[in-house]
Amino acid sequence: MANPCEVEVLNNALSGIGVDEKSLVSILTKSQNEHKKSLRKGCSKFFLEDERQFERWNDSAIKSLKAEFKLFKDVVVLSLMHPWERDARLLKKALKKGPPHYNVIVEIACTRSSDQLLGARKAYHSLFDRSIEEDLASHVKGSERKLLVALVSAYRYEGPKVKEDAAKSEAKALLNAIKNNSGDHKKTAMEEDEVIWILTTRSKPHLKVVYEQYKKISAKTITEDLEVELLLKETVECLCTPQTYFTRVFETALREDAKEDAKKALTRLVATQEDVDLKGIAAKFEDKIKERVKGAYKDVLLGVLADDRK
């Protein structure tokens, strides 16, 4: 019969983010049938007894548990894959899953260098015998299509030069477009051609100056004014304040009630942002990772963040 300590260890091993594989192995390899039966009774979150007193899986809990086991596999596979292939496959998967996952397309298009994004587009050709642009154009509708096609097609200047006068003018243009989306003929900022043009052609250093200029002439930041246009808000964050975006990914994934998609976003971030400075995030979330995350997946997260602090 399982003792209370073993039941507690097993429940803890299967709770949180990821799975404590070592604790599972230590208990299960020493368990006989009767012992496992008492473990099942102690883990009522994962096992139910029906009206016939038959012990069975709690289907929803087991589905979640499978997703937790999968986190480590996913971070390993994404980390080992060629970056171009990895991004091409992530783009394809996000497009297939539809609008709730278009933020992945934005994340890839806006946080990669021009050459990295071009490489992902080439890999997409090789893997799927068509371009990401044509797939976006044929599957995405409305103003989202215009934004996403333009983002993945971009090949931005990556030098340090910024035209201050142009940045000031474009900040005013963005403010007018965002503030004027009201009245009888309501038009969203994403439907404004000039907004799309500015966000999809200008260099990231230039857009960061636009972001600062906007804050000077408005009572809020661009992202605060775009609260109701989430996809456009995330576009601006990834281009102008990526640390804010990355921090939110960590915060959302490490909540006690975190959804599966939020945990996948954290996995994707850790596996794909090897060129990004995550020092501030590492310091802020290290304790939370140790508290909430389990097993090999925790080791990967802490390892990546520790390496980034060197």
Side-chain angles (χ1 to χ4, degrees):
M1 182 174 180
N3 61 53
C5 182
E6 286 178 317
V7 171
E8 183 181 357
V9 169
L10 186 58
N11 273 314
N12 288 338
L14 298 174
S15 302
I17 302 171
V19 179
D20 184 351
E21 298 91 348
K22 290 183 180 179
S23 293
L24 287 177
V25 170
S26 69
I27 292 174
L28 298 180
T29 54
K30 301 173 184 176
S31 298
Q32 302 300 321
N33 285 337
E34 286 302 313
H35 187 253
K36 289 176 181 177
K37 182 177 180 179
S38 61
L39 286 173
R40 287 194 294 271
K41 287 187 178 296
C43 296
S44 57
K45 175 183 175 182
F46 299 99
F47 298 95
L48 300 173
E49 193 174 89
D50 64 18
E51 65 277 5
R52 300 179 184 86
Q53 295 185 315
F54 177 72
E55 297 169 344
R56 62 178 178 83
W57 289 117
N58 178 339
D59 289 338
S60 61
I62 295 306
K63 183 179 178 181
S64 298
L65 182 58
K66 287 179 179 179
E68 299 301 334
F69 274 106
K70 193 170 178 287
L71 289 174
F72 177 66
K73 186 210 80 172
D74 287 348
V75 76
V76 170
V77 172
L78 287 174
S79 297
L80 290 175
M81 210 181 296
H82 190 291
W84 295 358
E85 178 186 1
R86 177 197 65 206
D87 284 347
R89 292 191 183 280
L90 287 170
L91 288 167
K92 180 70 172 178
K93 190 172 184 179
L95 182 57
K96 187 176 180 180
K97 287 191 170 183
H101 297 269
Y102 288 167
N103 65 303
V104 178
I105 301 172
V106 167
E107 179 186 307
I108 291 171
C110 297
T111 63
R112 307 302 191 256
S113 70
S114 294
D115 284 334
Q116 288 170 336
L117 183 56
L118 179 60
R121 289 163 60 195
K122 290 180 178 179
Y124 200 98
H125 293 174
S126 296
L127 292 168
F128 308 116
D129 295 319
R130 52 191 178 273
S131 71
I132 178 61
E133 293 92 337
E134 64 183 299
D135 273 358
L136 284 169
S138 62
H139 290 92
V140 182
K141 307 301 179 185
S143 54
E144 288 183 336
R145 173 169 59 188
K146 190 191 306 182
L147 173 67
L148 294 176
V149 170
L151 284 175
V152 301
S153 304
Y155 191 86
R156 302 174 191 273
Y157 164 69
E158 294 188 333
K161 293 184 179 180
V162 174
K163 295 180 179 179
E164 294 282 345
D165 290 342
K168 291 178 182 179
S169 174
E170 288 162 12
K172 292 177 183 177
L174 289 176
L175 179 63
N176 290 334
I178 294 169
K179 296 295 186 181
N180 290 339
N181 65 344
S182 59
D184 295 335
H185 304 287
K186 187 173 181 179
K187 193 175 183 180
T188 67
M190 200 186 300
E191 294 174 307
E192 296 282 359
D193 288 342
E194 192 166 16
V195 172
I196 302 298
W197 173 78
I198 292 169
L199 294 179
T200 60
T201 64
R202 289 302 197 183
S203 71
K204 292 175 185 177
H206 181 96
L207 289 172
K208 288 176 181 178
V209 175
V210 172
Y211 186 92
E212 292 302 320
Q213 290 298 326
Y214 186 103
K215 193 160 50 174
K216 289 180 181 179
I217 61 176
S218 172
K220 298 180 180 179
T221 65
I222 303 176
T223 49
E224 288 172 331
D225 278 339
L226 287 172
E227 203 63 49
V228 296
E229 294 192 58
L230 187 57
L231 199 63
L232 204 58
K233 174 186 174 180
E234 291 180 333
T235 299
V236 173
E237 277 187 344
C238 287
L239 289 168
C240 302
T241 58
Q243 293 291 323
T244 301
Y245 175 81
F246 298 148
T247 296
R248 191 170 70 253
V249 170
F250 270 78
E251 286 176 341
T252 306
L254 293 172
R255 290 174 185 163
E256 288 192 11
D257 60 347
K259 304 296 184 185
E260 184 178 342
D261 283 340
K263 296 173 186 177
K264 287 182 178 179
L266 178 59
T267 300
R268 184 179 66 248
L269 183 68
V270 170
T272 65
Q273 296 294 337
E274 60 266 19
D275 296 329
V276 174
D277 182 3
L278 296 174
K279 292 178 183 177
I281 297 177
K284 185 175 181 180
F285 290 102
E286 185 172 358
D287 289 342
K288 181 63 72 173
I289 290 170
K290 289 178 180 177
E291 173 191 337
R292 294 280 300 132
V293 186
K294 308 289 184 182
Y297 186 61
K298 176 177 73 174
D299 294 340
V300 171
L301 295 189
L302 292 176
V304 168
L305 296 178
D307 184 64
D308 200 73
R309 291 198 298 270
K310 293 177 182 177

